[in-house]
Short mmCIF file of all heavy atoms in Angstrom, two decimals:
data_model
loop_
_atom_site.label_atom_id
_atom_site.label_comp_id
_atom_site.label_asym_id
_atom_site.label_seq_id
_atom_site.Cartn_x
_atom_site.Cartn_y
_atom_site.Cartn_z
N ASN A 1 12.01 45.18 114.43
CA ASN A 1 10.88 44.96 113.56
C ASN A 1 10.53 43.46 113.57
O ASN A 1 10.87 42.74 112.63
CB ASN A 1 11.17 45.45 112.16
CG ASN A 1 9.97 45.25 111.20
OD1 ASN A 1 8.85 45.09 111.64
ND2 ASN A 1 10.27 45.26 109.91
N VAL A 2 9.87 43.04 114.65
CA VAL A 2 9.53 41.60 114.79
C VAL A 2 8.00 41.39 114.97
O VAL A 2 7.56 40.27 115.14
CB VAL A 2 10.27 40.99 115.97
CG1 VAL A 2 11.78 40.98 115.71
CG2 VAL A 2 9.96 41.74 117.30
N GLY A 3 7.21 42.47 114.97
CA GLY A 3 5.79 42.36 115.24
C GLY A 3 4.95 42.24 113.97
O GLY A 3 5.41 42.56 112.86
N ASP A 4 3.69 41.92 114.16
CA ASP A 4 2.72 41.81 113.10
C ASP A 4 1.87 43.10 113.07
O ASP A 4 1.10 43.35 113.99
CB ASP A 4 1.82 40.59 113.30
CG ASP A 4 0.87 40.37 112.17
OD1 ASP A 4 0.69 41.28 111.30
OD2 ASP A 4 0.23 39.27 112.12
N VAL A 5 2.05 43.91 112.03
CA VAL A 5 1.36 45.22 112.00
C VAL A 5 -0.15 45.10 111.87
O VAL A 5 -0.90 46.05 112.08
CB VAL A 5 1.92 46.09 110.88
CG1 VAL A 5 3.36 46.48 111.08
CG2 VAL A 5 1.73 45.40 109.51
N THR A 6 -0.62 43.88 111.52
CA THR A 6 -2.06 43.67 111.36
C THR A 6 -2.75 43.42 112.68
O THR A 6 -3.99 43.41 112.76
CB THR A 6 -2.35 42.51 110.39
OG1 THR A 6 -1.91 41.30 110.97
CG2 THR A 6 -1.67 42.74 109.06
N LYS A 7 -1.99 43.20 113.74
CA LYS A 7 -2.56 42.91 115.03
C LYS A 7 -2.59 44.15 115.93
O LYS A 7 -1.60 44.86 116.03
CB LYS A 7 -1.75 41.79 115.77
CG LYS A 7 -1.85 40.43 115.11
CD LYS A 7 -1.09 39.41 115.93
CE LYS A 7 -1.21 38.00 115.34
NZ LYS A 7 -0.47 36.98 116.10
N LYS A 8 -3.71 44.43 116.55
CA LYS A 8 -3.88 45.58 117.38
C LYS A 8 -2.98 45.57 118.63
O LYS A 8 -2.60 46.60 119.16
CB LYS A 8 -5.30 45.73 117.86
CG LYS A 8 -6.25 46.21 116.75
CD LYS A 8 -7.65 46.51 117.33
CE LYS A 8 -8.57 47.05 116.26
NZ LYS A 8 -9.94 47.40 116.81
N THR A 9 -2.58 44.39 119.05
CA THR A 9 -1.76 44.26 120.23
C THR A 9 -0.25 44.51 119.97
O THR A 9 0.54 44.61 120.86
CB THR A 9 -1.89 42.83 120.84
OG1 THR A 9 -1.59 41.86 119.82
CG2 THR A 9 -3.30 42.62 121.35
N THR A 10 0.09 44.63 118.66
CA THR A 10 1.49 44.88 118.30
C THR A 10 1.87 46.30 118.65
O THR A 10 1.17 47.24 118.26
CB THR A 10 1.72 44.63 116.76
OG1 THR A 10 1.45 43.24 116.47
CG2 THR A 10 3.16 44.94 116.39
N ARG A 11 2.94 46.48 119.36
CA ARG A 11 3.41 47.82 119.72
C ARG A 11 4.22 48.42 118.57
O ARG A 11 4.89 47.69 117.83
CB ARG A 11 4.29 47.75 120.98
CG ARG A 11 3.62 47.03 122.16
CD ARG A 11 2.46 47.88 122.73
NE ARG A 11 2.97 49.15 123.20
CZ ARG A 11 3.58 49.32 124.36
NH1 ARG A 11 3.75 48.27 125.21
NH2 ARG A 11 4.00 50.47 124.71
N VAL A 12 4.15 49.72 118.41
CA VAL A 12 4.84 50.39 117.29
C VAL A 12 6.35 50.12 117.32
O VAL A 12 6.97 49.97 116.26
CB VAL A 12 4.55 51.88 117.31
CG1 VAL A 12 5.25 52.56 116.11
CG2 VAL A 12 3.06 52.14 117.18
N TYR A 13 6.92 50.04 118.52
CA TYR A 13 8.39 49.80 118.56
C TYR A 13 8.77 48.44 118.10
O TYR A 13 9.94 48.12 117.84
CB TYR A 13 8.93 50.08 119.98
CG TYR A 13 8.57 49.05 121.04
CD1 TYR A 13 9.26 47.86 121.18
CD2 TYR A 13 7.50 49.27 121.93
CE1 TYR A 13 8.94 46.94 122.14
CE2 TYR A 13 7.17 48.36 122.91
CZ TYR A 13 7.89 47.20 122.98
OH TYR A 13 7.55 46.25 123.95
N GLU A 14 7.77 47.52 117.90
CA GLU A 14 8.02 46.21 117.39
C GLU A 14 7.87 46.15 115.86
O GLU A 14 7.88 45.09 115.24
CB GLU A 14 7.03 45.19 118.02
CG GLU A 14 7.20 45.04 119.50
CD GLU A 14 6.14 44.17 120.13
OE1 GLU A 14 4.96 44.31 119.76
OE2 GLU A 14 6.48 43.31 120.97
N THR A 15 7.69 47.32 115.22
CA THR A 15 7.55 47.42 113.78
C THR A 15 8.64 48.35 113.21
O THR A 15 9.48 48.87 113.96
CB THR A 15 6.20 47.98 113.41
OG1 THR A 15 6.11 49.39 113.69
CG2 THR A 15 5.09 47.29 114.20
N ASN A 16 8.56 48.59 111.90
CA ASN A 16 9.45 49.55 111.28
C ASN A 16 8.74 50.86 110.98
O ASN A 16 9.25 51.70 110.18
CB ASN A 16 10.09 48.98 109.99
CG ASN A 16 9.05 48.71 108.92
OD1 ASN A 16 7.84 48.63 109.20
ND2 ASN A 16 9.47 48.61 107.68
N LEU A 17 7.58 51.07 111.55
CA LEU A 17 6.77 52.26 111.30
C LEU A 17 7.27 53.46 112.10
O LEU A 17 8.07 53.32 113.06
CB LEU A 17 5.31 51.98 111.64
CG LEU A 17 4.65 50.81 110.93
CD1 LEU A 17 3.22 50.58 111.43
CD2 LEU A 17 4.61 51.03 109.44
N TYR A 18 6.78 54.64 111.72
CA TYR A 18 7.08 55.86 112.48
C TYR A 18 6.59 55.72 113.89
O TYR A 18 5.47 55.29 114.15
CB TYR A 18 6.38 57.03 111.78
CG TYR A 18 6.30 58.29 112.64
CD1 TYR A 18 7.47 59.01 112.95
CD2 TYR A 18 5.12 58.74 113.15
CE1 TYR A 18 7.39 60.17 113.76
CE2 TYR A 18 5.01 59.88 113.90
CZ TYR A 18 6.18 60.61 114.22
OH TYR A 18 6.11 61.72 115.00
N LEU A 19 7.44 56.06 114.85
CA LEU A 19 7.11 56.02 116.27
C LEU A 19 6.89 57.44 116.79
O LEU A 19 7.82 58.26 116.80
CB LEU A 19 8.25 55.37 117.08
CG LEU A 19 8.07 55.14 118.57
CD1 LEU A 19 6.87 54.23 118.82
CD2 LEU A 19 9.33 54.57 119.18
N PRO A 20 5.64 57.80 117.09
CA PRO A 20 5.31 59.19 117.48
C PRO A 20 6.08 59.64 118.72
O PRO A 20 6.46 58.82 119.56
CB PRO A 20 3.82 59.13 117.73
CG PRO A 20 3.31 57.96 117.03
CD PRO A 20 4.44 56.98 117.11
N TYR A 21 6.25 60.96 118.86
CA TYR A 21 6.87 61.52 120.08
C TYR A 21 6.07 61.09 121.29
O TYR A 21 4.85 61.15 121.30
CB TYR A 21 6.89 63.03 119.99
CG TYR A 21 7.96 63.58 119.06
CD1 TYR A 21 7.66 64.02 117.79
CD2 TYR A 21 9.31 63.62 119.45
CE1 TYR A 21 8.59 64.51 116.94
CE2 TYR A 21 10.27 64.12 118.62
CZ TYR A 21 9.93 64.59 117.33
OH TYR A 21 10.87 65.06 116.51
N HIS A 22 6.78 60.70 122.32
CA HIS A 22 6.13 60.26 123.54
C HIS A 22 7.10 60.21 124.73
O HIS A 22 8.29 60.46 124.57
CB HIS A 22 5.58 58.81 123.32
CG HIS A 22 6.65 57.79 123.12
ND1 HIS A 22 7.34 57.67 121.92
CD2 HIS A 22 7.17 56.84 123.92
CE1 HIS A 22 8.22 56.70 122.00
NE2 HIS A 22 8.13 56.16 123.22
N SER A 23 6.56 59.97 125.90
CA SER A 23 7.40 59.74 127.09
C SER A 23 7.03 58.32 127.58
O SER A 23 5.92 57.85 127.42
CB SER A 23 7.11 60.75 128.16
OG SER A 23 5.71 60.84 128.44
N ASP A 24 7.99 57.68 128.19
CA ASP A 24 7.79 56.33 128.71
C ASP A 24 7.56 56.43 130.25
O ASP A 24 7.96 57.37 130.90
CB ASP A 24 9.00 55.45 128.46
CG ASP A 24 9.17 55.10 127.03
OD1 ASP A 24 8.18 54.98 126.33
OD2 ASP A 24 10.33 54.93 126.57
N PRO A 25 6.88 55.40 130.82
CA PRO A 25 6.60 55.42 132.25
C PRO A 25 7.79 54.99 133.13
O PRO A 25 7.80 53.93 133.72
CB PRO A 25 5.43 54.43 132.37
CG PRO A 25 5.65 53.47 131.25
CD PRO A 25 6.21 54.29 130.15
N SER A 26 8.81 55.84 133.11
CA SER A 26 9.97 55.64 133.98
C SER A 26 10.70 56.98 134.06
O SER A 26 10.46 57.87 133.27
CB SER A 26 10.92 54.60 133.41
OG SER A 26 11.47 55.00 132.16
N ASP A 27 11.59 57.17 135.03
CA ASP A 27 12.31 58.43 135.17
C ASP A 27 13.17 58.67 133.93
O ASP A 27 13.20 59.75 133.40
CB ASP A 27 13.20 58.39 136.42
CG ASP A 27 12.40 58.35 137.71
OD1 ASP A 27 11.25 58.85 137.75
OD2 ASP A 27 12.92 57.83 138.71
N VAL A 28 13.94 57.64 133.55
CA VAL A 28 14.87 57.76 132.41
C VAL A 28 14.70 56.58 131.48
O VAL A 28 14.45 55.44 131.94
CB VAL A 28 16.33 57.85 132.92
CG1 VAL A 28 17.32 57.50 131.86
CG2 VAL A 28 16.60 59.21 133.50
N VAL A 29 14.83 56.80 130.19
CA VAL A 29 14.80 55.74 129.19
C VAL A 29 16.15 55.67 128.51
O VAL A 29 16.74 56.71 128.19
CB VAL A 29 13.70 55.91 128.12
CG1 VAL A 29 13.79 57.28 127.48
CG2 VAL A 29 13.71 54.82 127.11
N GLY A 30 16.70 54.48 128.37
CA GLY A 30 17.93 54.25 127.66
C GLY A 30 17.72 53.44 126.41
O GLY A 30 16.84 52.58 126.35
N LEU A 31 18.54 53.72 125.40
CA LEU A 31 18.42 52.98 124.12
C LEU A 31 19.86 52.64 123.68
O LEU A 31 20.68 53.56 123.48
CB LEU A 31 17.69 53.78 123.07
CG LEU A 31 17.08 53.04 121.89
CD1 LEU A 31 16.00 52.06 122.41
CD2 LEU A 31 16.46 54.03 120.90
N LEU A 32 20.15 51.35 123.58
CA LEU A 32 21.44 50.89 123.11
C LEU A 32 21.34 50.40 121.68
O LEU A 32 20.54 49.48 121.43
CB LEU A 32 22.02 49.79 124.02
CG LEU A 32 23.23 49.00 123.51
CD1 LEU A 32 24.42 49.94 123.28
CD2 LEU A 32 23.59 47.90 124.48
N CYS A 33 22.11 50.96 120.77
CA CYS A 33 22.06 50.52 119.38
C CYS A 33 23.01 49.34 119.16
O CYS A 33 24.21 49.44 119.47
CB CYS A 33 22.47 51.68 118.46
SG CYS A 33 22.55 51.22 116.71
N ILE A 34 22.47 48.25 118.71
CA ILE A 34 23.26 47.06 118.31
C ILE A 34 23.53 47.09 116.84
O ILE A 34 24.67 46.91 116.38
CB ILE A 34 22.54 45.76 118.70
CG1 ILE A 34 22.08 45.77 120.18
CG2 ILE A 34 23.45 44.59 118.40
CD1 ILE A 34 23.19 45.83 121.16
N ARG A 35 22.46 47.37 116.03
CA ARG A 35 22.64 47.43 114.58
C ARG A 35 21.75 48.55 114.04
O ARG A 35 20.65 48.79 114.56
CB ARG A 35 22.27 46.09 113.93
CG ARG A 35 23.22 44.98 114.26
CD ARG A 35 22.91 43.74 113.36
NE ARG A 35 21.57 43.21 113.56
CZ ARG A 35 21.28 42.22 114.47
NH1 ARG A 35 22.29 41.73 115.19
NH2 ARG A 35 20.06 41.77 114.59
N LYS A 36 22.18 49.21 112.97
CA LYS A 36 21.40 50.23 112.27
C LYS A 36 20.54 49.58 111.19
O LYS A 36 20.81 48.46 110.77
CB LYS A 36 22.29 51.26 111.62
CG LYS A 36 23.09 52.12 112.60
CD LYS A 36 23.63 53.36 111.91
CE LYS A 36 24.57 53.05 110.78
NZ LYS A 36 25.13 54.28 110.16
N ALA A 37 19.53 50.33 110.79
CA ALA A 37 18.70 49.91 109.67
C ALA A 37 19.46 50.07 108.35
O ALA A 37 20.46 50.81 108.29
CB ALA A 37 17.38 50.65 109.65
N LYS A 38 18.95 49.50 107.28
CA LYS A 38 19.49 49.74 105.94
C LYS A 38 19.31 51.21 105.58
O LYS A 38 20.19 51.86 105.00
CB LYS A 38 18.80 48.82 104.94
CG LYS A 38 19.31 48.99 103.51
CD LYS A 38 18.57 48.07 102.57
CE LYS A 38 19.00 48.25 101.12
NZ LYS A 38 18.26 47.37 100.19
N GLN A 39 18.13 51.72 105.95
CA GLN A 39 17.85 53.12 105.65
C GLN A 39 16.81 53.61 106.68
O GLN A 39 15.86 52.89 106.98
CB GLN A 39 17.25 53.25 104.24
CG GLN A 39 17.01 54.68 103.80
CD GLN A 39 16.62 54.76 102.33
OE1 GLN A 39 16.80 53.83 101.57
NE2 GLN A 39 16.02 55.91 101.97
N GLY A 40 16.96 54.84 107.16
CA GLY A 40 16.04 55.42 108.12
C GLY A 40 16.27 55.00 109.52
O GLY A 40 17.40 54.52 109.87
N GLY A 41 15.27 55.16 110.39
CA GLY A 41 15.39 54.81 111.80
C GLY A 41 16.11 55.92 112.62
O GLY A 41 16.75 55.63 113.60
N LEU A 42 15.96 57.15 112.13
CA LEU A 42 16.56 58.28 112.83
C LEU A 42 15.90 58.54 114.17
O LEU A 42 14.67 58.60 114.25
CB LEU A 42 16.44 59.54 111.94
CG LEU A 42 17.46 60.67 112.07
CD1 LEU A 42 18.89 60.17 111.72
CD2 LEU A 42 17.07 61.81 111.15
N SER A 43 16.66 58.70 115.22
CA SER A 43 16.15 59.00 116.54
C SER A 43 15.96 60.53 116.63
O SER A 43 16.81 61.29 116.15
CB SER A 43 17.13 58.50 117.63
OG SER A 43 16.67 58.88 118.91
N SER A 44 14.91 60.94 117.30
CA SER A 44 14.58 62.35 117.37
C SER A 44 14.10 62.71 118.78
O SER A 44 13.34 61.97 119.39
CB SER A 44 13.49 62.73 116.36
OG SER A 44 13.25 64.10 116.34
N LEU A 45 14.60 63.83 119.30
CA LEU A 45 14.27 64.31 120.63
C LEU A 45 13.71 65.75 120.54
O LEU A 45 14.10 66.50 119.66
CB LEU A 45 15.48 64.31 121.53
CG LEU A 45 16.27 62.99 121.67
CD1 LEU A 45 17.55 63.19 122.52
CD2 LEU A 45 15.42 61.89 122.26
N VAL A 46 12.85 66.11 121.50
CA VAL A 46 12.35 67.47 121.56
C VAL A 46 12.24 67.84 123.01
O VAL A 46 11.85 67.03 123.87
CB VAL A 46 11.00 67.63 120.83
CG1 VAL A 46 9.92 66.78 121.46
CG2 VAL A 46 10.58 69.08 120.73
#
C-alpha cells in the first residue's frame, strides 16, 4: 500500500483496496509474503 488512490495511474495492487479477480500477462504468477496486514488481505483463487 504505497500508491495514491486519487491518481488514475495508481495500480490497485499498490493500494489496500479490493483487488478484483484477474489473470496476469505471464504463464505463472508468484507471490511471496514478507509481512501480513493488521487485518484482511486474504488471497483468493478460483
Side-chain angles (χ1 to χ4, degrees):
N1 182 19
V2 294
D4 184 347
V5 295
T6 65
K7 293 183 178 180
K8 286 187 176 181
T9 54
T10 298
R11 306 292 299 281
V12 180
Y13 71 82
E14 297 174 316
T15 74
N16 65 340
L17 302 177
Y18 165 69
L19 183 62
Y21 285 101
H22 65 285
S23 55
D24 290 328
S26 63
D27 294 333
V28 161
V29 55
L31 202 60
L32 168 61
C33 177
I34 308 297
R35 293 190 296 268
K36 294 196 299 184
K38 179 180 179 181
Q39 185 173 342
L42 206 62
S43 176
S44 185
L45 307 174
V46 64

